[in-house]
Every structure is written in structure tokens, then in C-alpha cells.
Amino acid sequence: ARKGFGAALAGFSGIALTLLAAFLVVVVLILLFSRVPLTTMRAFFIGPFRNAYYLGNMLNSAVPLVFTGLGIAVAFRSSVFNLGGEGQVYAGGLAATAVCLALPGANGLVGGLAAVVAGLGASAVIAGLSGFFRMQWDADEMISSFLLSSAVVLVANWVITGPLDDPANNLLATLPIGPQFLLAKIFPPSKLNISAFFALAAAAIVWVFMNRTHAGYEMRICGLNREFARYGGINVRTYLVLPMVLSGALHGLGGALAVLGTHGAALKGFSGGMGWNGIAVALIARNNPLAVVPAALLFAWIDAGARAAMLHGDVTYEIAA
């Protein structure tokens, strides 16, 4: 327990240092490019907290980052590298949408659970393929996961703008899912919903799995030294596939809950960098599942602050992005 607490403390210390460095960079950029730096700084640092709408939306944008950050942390702790998070989030959201559209009259709880299972299952299979390729033919999972993700994004775009397209929507999106499937809002008028509680639960469950279970221990040993793990009798081939499956499932869960909780449909490009940003979140958290939550909040704060500085200050979109 003491060792686990020390690792968590180290993760939080890393977040604090990253927070300081990030904000120093922000201040320098504002001083260089803003004609009203004090107004812009106030908008950046305080803007995301100025009302319930901004605050809730900032917290809501952190939720999928928790899931993608957890997915990356699980993979990285096992020394496998999942670079396909973007496509896996996309596939999870699209699969969840398809299930909801196929069950328009279903009970909200039953249909919602089926949608979530479909979302995480689809992404687990996609990521698991990269692990299988590594196990069977020693194919680099970084390359295969990235290539599979790129292909999935193109296929998902075709489905969203083709067979499932909503002609009445001005956006490129599927038909809306039934209202009974939508997750309850908890901080109106923002989009924050009960998926935030699922994200917190997921972080705790992943930490327990990685640090308090036999399979988690073997995954961590394989991540530290595969030859040592093999000598100790661990089936290292299994832990080329299992971490990728779990990583994909967490990405897909993030995508499914984003659809059920925020968008109400699969929008073209709705993943919006969630997969890539999840890598940054995991690195900031040093692959500690508990530290992923504050790291995701930090990332969401910086993003929301940049938008506020653009709206209420004078920085351009290029600088804010």
C-alpha cells in the first residue's frame, strides 16, 4: 500500500510540474501575441469557471480523456503501444449509435447497456487485432494500430455520412438516438452528465486491476522485462494481446459514453483528437490510473481556457488551438 501511495504521489507531483510549465508557456504566449494581456489572462485562467455552463462543459470534456488516458496507461504499463485510440473512440461511438438506432423501442437501461457493450466490444476487437498481429507475426503494434485506426476512421465517416446520415441535420451526423438512451444531465445548463461518475469508477477499477490482481501484476512484470517474465513462467504472449484488448475497450467506452451523454448521435469527426490527447494525459499522469483523472482535468482546463481567451480576449484561433 505504501508503494502504491508513493507511486500516486509521484504521479501527482508530475502533474503539478506539468501544470506549472504549461501555464508559464501560456503566459509567455499571451504576452507575446495579445494587445490586452491582462484581459486575455483573466479569460484564460478564470473564464472556464465564470458560470455553470462553462464549468460543466469543461468537466464534461475531461470525461472522455479519462477513458482514453486509462486506455493508454494500461497499454504503456504493459510495454505495448496503442496509437489507434482515435479510430477506437470513433468506432465505439458509432457502434453504440448503431445499436440505439436498431432498438428504437427498447428500454432505456437495457438498450443503453447494449450500446455501451457494443461500443467497447467493437473497439476491443480493433485494438486486439494489433496485439494478435504482434503475438503471431511480431508485427509492430504501433504501426498496425495506427493503420487500423486510420482505416476505421474512413469507414466510420462513410457510414455516418451515408447509410446512417440524418438528412434533416445541418451537421454531418447520424440519425439521433432515442431520448430514453441519453444519460442524465447533472449540472445544467451544461452538458455534464453521469458519465463523469463512470469515469471516476473506471479509474479506480483500473488501478485496482493493475495493482491488486494477479493478471495486473503479470502485465506490469511483462512491461518491466519480458525476458524476466518469461523466465518466471508468465505467458508473455498473452500479455501482448490482453493489454491491447483492454486499452481498446476503454477507448470504445469513452466513445460510446460521449455519444450517449453529450452528442446524442455520431457526428463526423466527433472524436476530435480524444485518442491523441489521451496519450498526452497518460504521459502527464505517468501511466498511473489514479493520476489520469487530474491530468484529464488539467488538459480540459487548458483547452477551455484557450477557447475562453479566444472568445473574451484578442488571441486568434491559431494561437488558441
Side-chain angles (χ1 to χ4, degrees):
R2 187 177 301 170
K3 185 177 179 181
F5 176 76
L9 184 61
F12 292 127
S13 299
I15 292 175
L17 291 174
T18 303
L19 178 66
L20 178 61
F23 286 160
L24 285 175
V25 171
V26 167
V27 170
V28 170
L29 288 175
I30 290 175
L31 290 174
L32 287 175
F33 295 104
S34 176
R35 291 188 295 272
V36 284
L38 292 180
T39 300
T40 304
M41 285 185 196
R42 189 184 308 113
F44 179 86
F45 288 105
I46 303 176
F49 306 95
R50 64 190 303 167
N51 57 50
Y53 181 76
Y54 282 6
L55 176 60
N57 284 342
M58 182 192 76
L59 296 175
N60 189 58
S61 67
V63 171
L65 294 180
V66 171
F67 289 106
T68 57
L70 289 173
I72 294 299
V74 167
F76 283 7
R77 286 287 293 274
S78 309
S79 284
V80 295
F81 302 95
N82 181 9
L83 297 187
E86 198 71 18
Q88 291 155 25
V89 171
Y90 214 10
L94 180 58
T97 303
V99 168
C100 290
L101 293 178
L103 302 171
N107 174 272
L109 178 60
V110 175
L113 286 175
V116 167
V117 170
L120 66 87
S123 298
V125 170
I126 293 169
L129 284 174
S130 295
F132 177 77
F133 295 156
R134 171 72 185 278
M135 180 189 73
Q136 194 70 19
W137 299 294
D138 201 29
D140 192 317
E141 74 276 8
M142 286 193 297
I143 296 175
S144 63
S145 61
F146 175 74
L147 292 178
L148 281 172
S149 172
S150 300
V152 166
V153 168
L154 294 176
V155 173
N157 284 342
W158 174 79
V159 173
I160 290 172
T161 59
L164 297 183
D165 179 51
D166 181 8
N169 196 330
N170 292 327
L171 301 175
L172 295 175
T174 65
L175 296 164
I177 63 176
Q180 72 271 28
F181 302 123
L182 298 177
L183 299 178
K185 300 293 190 292
I186 58 175
F187 200 50
S190 74
K191 296 182 179 180
L192 184 63
N193 55 80
I194 60 173
S195 64
F197 300 126
F198 300 153
L200 295 176
I205 291 170
V206 171
W207 186 88
V208 170
F209 173 76
M210 293 298 296
N211 295 279
R212 293 292 184 269
T213 67
H214 182 73
Y217 169 78
E218 292 189 338
M219 284 174 61
R220 288 187 289 114
I221 293 299
C222 288
L224 292 171
N225 191 317
R226 290 195 183 279
E227 290 304 317
F228 177 80
R230 184 180 290 109
Y231 181 79
I234 296 174
N235 185 354
V236 297
R237 286 167 60 85
T238 298
Y239 295 107
L240 292 173
V241 181
L242 180 60
M244 290 295 288
V245 170
L246 295 177
S247 179
L250 286 164
H251 280 84
L253 183 57
L257 292 178
V259 167
L260 299 180
T262 302
H263 304 299
L267 282 64
K268 183 179 180 181
F270 81 89
S271 56
M274 293 176 190
W276 295 114
N277 291 341
I279 296 176
V281 167
L283 292 176
I284 292 171
R286 297 185 180 181
N287 299 324
N288 184 325
L290 296 182
V292 162
V293 175
L297 290 171
L298 165 63
F299 214 93
W301 182 11
I302 293 175
D303 181 62
R307 295 175 187 273
M310 181 178 64
L311 291 172
H312 303 287
D314 66 344
V315 296
T316 62
Y317 172 80
E318 289 75 15
I319 299 299

